[in-house]
Amino acid sequence: MKYGLLYHYWGNKWSCDYVETAKKIRAAGFDVMEIGADHLHDMDRKDIDTIRGTVEELGLNLSTNIGPTKDYDLASPDASVRKAGVIYIKELMEKMNAIGSKALAGAMYSYWPCDFTYVNKEEAWDNSIAGMKEVAKAAEEYDIVCSLEVLNRFETYILTDCREGLEYLERIGSDHVKLLLDTFHMSIEEDNIPDAIRLAGKNLGHLHLGEGNRKLPGLGSMPWKEIGQALRDIDYQEMAVIEPFMRMGGEIGSAIHVWRDLTDGASEAEMDEKLLTTLRFLKANFE
Ligand SMILES: [Mn+2]
């Protein structure tokens, strides 16, 4: 298993200096930096080469976190929006290939966050699946694995539990399209988190880790020991990326609805220390 961290940990904006962040993530002992799809999509060749050079030197892998805007919704009733969505993801994959990222993870099957103005689920599934089949072909060409994130009911209506995710995958039928399970979303929707991981089995392509209140693993009541057992049961070898949201304010605090400080007033040094602690904690429970 390769342990990772989403890029935003030290800030509360949907942006960062990826070279500096890569160094900090590596220094904290992680194997993977998860970057933002929109950033990569808009990056020029020079920035891509610089970041690729840095992560190769550090021995860091890259995963790409996607939550398309509504203009790129593959499940939209509007055919021109669906077409724009497929083009966006294909352009993104070209950049992923250039930067050396083989893992695309998130709600690429629709958009995020959902505003629930259109919720015809059957029609949305048909549209989304048609688009994802086109995306799957491109993924196979680039040898990129698309891991579709199962979210909770407040953020999507398309895929809200593992069983539903597996039904969707069956209709795609590509070994380059898998599921992303996130312990935070699972804590809301699944009957039993370890059982959902076992149900996903070899279809689990990516994992997001966090407590039910999105704190770092080990700071809440998530059954980490049992989750570790489930991951060993399915022989999970892919990326496990921590996706904590603990800071109030800024773009992220507002988008994620962080309405109190979940860091316990931690200083920068204490935030770094918390990362070392959480990684030790995860390895103790998972290995
Ligand atoms: Mn997630």
Side-chain angles (χ1 to χ4, degrees):
M1 204 180 321
K2 292 180 276 293
Y3 295 90
L5 182 67
L6 189 66
Y7 70 89
H8 76 294
Y9 183 71
W10 290 274
N12 54 13
K13 289 186 305 188
W14 294 121
S15 62
C16 75
D17 177 336
Y18 279 114
V19 169
E20 284 312 305
T21 303
K23 290 176 187 165
K24 285 162 104 170
I25 287 178
R26 191 70 182 126
F30 290 91
D31 317 299
V32 178
M33 172 166 72
E34 189 149 300
I35 63 175
D38 281 341
H39 303 155
L40 179 56
H41 180 267
D42 296 339
M43 251 180 231
D44 61 24
R45 191 67 211 205
K46 189 171 146 282
D47 286 344
I48 285 176
D49 289 346
T50 305
I51 295 166
R52 183 174 186 148
T54 302
V55 299
E56 281 180 358
E57 203 172 301
L58 292 168
L60 207 54
N61 296 287
L62 293 176
S63 52
T64 303
N65 187 310
I66 182 172
T69 62
K70 200 175 178 181
D71 308 330
Y72 299 135
D73 177 13
L74 291 191
S76 170
D78 181 337
S80 68
V81 171
R82 299 198 297 273
K83 191 171 169 217
V86 171
I87 291 169
Y88 171 80
I89 297 175
K90 285 183 177 173
E91 286 171 354
L92 174 65
M93 284 181 170
E94 206 180 307
K95 300 280 180 88
M96 287 177 68
N97 189 52
I99 207 166
S101 174
K102 292 287 183 191
L104 180 59
M108 70 201 85
Y109 51 82
S110 184
Y111 70 106
W112 182 89
C114 183
D115 62 18
F116 303 102
T117 50
Y118 168 83
V119 289
N120 183 335
K121 190 161 175 173
E122 202 181 329
E123 191 177 88
W125 267 51
D126 287 345
N127 286 331
S128 171
I129 285 163
M132 269 311 298
K133 281 184 175 172
E134 281 189 63
V135 167
K137 274 187 229 147
E140 284 160 18
E141 280 162 28
Y142 286 117
D143 195 24
I144 287 170
V145 172
C146 297
S147 296
L148 312 182
E149 183 158 18
V150 177
L151 299 172
N152 70 71
R153 68 188 68 190
F154 304 109
E155 297 181 52
T156 192
Y157 63 100
I158 308 262
L159 300 182
T160 56
D161 78 354
C162 179
R163 186 171 297 281
E164 215 166 41
L166 292 171
E167 279 170 31
Y168 183 105
L169 284 194
E170 206 162 294
R171 286 178 59 183
I172 302 291
S174 166
D175 60 357
H176 283 67
V177 182
K178 299 190 174 194
L179 290 187
L180 157 54
L181 294 179
D182 178 322
T183 55
F184 159 67
H185 300 299
M186 294 169 92
S187 74
I188 297 171
E189 300 295 349
E190 303 289 350
D191 294 331
N192 181 295
I193 294 174
D195 283 351
I197 289 171
R198 279 185 281 267
L199 181 66
K202 285 294 162 202
N203 286 304
L204 185 60
H206 199 79
L207 194 59
H208 277 167
L209 305 174
E211 295 288 352
N213 54 11
R214 311 207 84 164
K215 283 190 183 182
L216 287 166
L219 298 176
S221 58
M222 196 64 72
W224 295 109
K225 200 164 156 261
E226 291 77 8
I227 289 170
Q229 184 58 54
L231 293 171
R232 290 192 296 280
D233 289 345
I234 66 167
D235 191 26
Y236 186 71
Q237 305 283 343
E238 309 306 323
M239 297 171 176
V241 174
I242 304 176
E243 193 183 34
F245 294 102
M246 296 159 69
R247 286 179 190 272
M248 262 179 82
E251 293 165 352
I252 296 185
S254 150
I256 304 290
H257 309 292
V258 183
W259 306 122
R260 64 182 191 278
D261 174 32
L262 297 178
T263 72
D264 297 321
S267 65
E268 288 298 305
E270 284 164 341
M271 288 298 282
D272 288 348
E273 186 57 40
K274 280 178 192 286
L275 267 189
L276 301 178
T277 307
T278 201
L279 189 53
R280 270 198 305 272
F281 172 83
L282 281 179
K283 287 185 174 175
N285 282 279
F286 286 6
E287 287 168 12

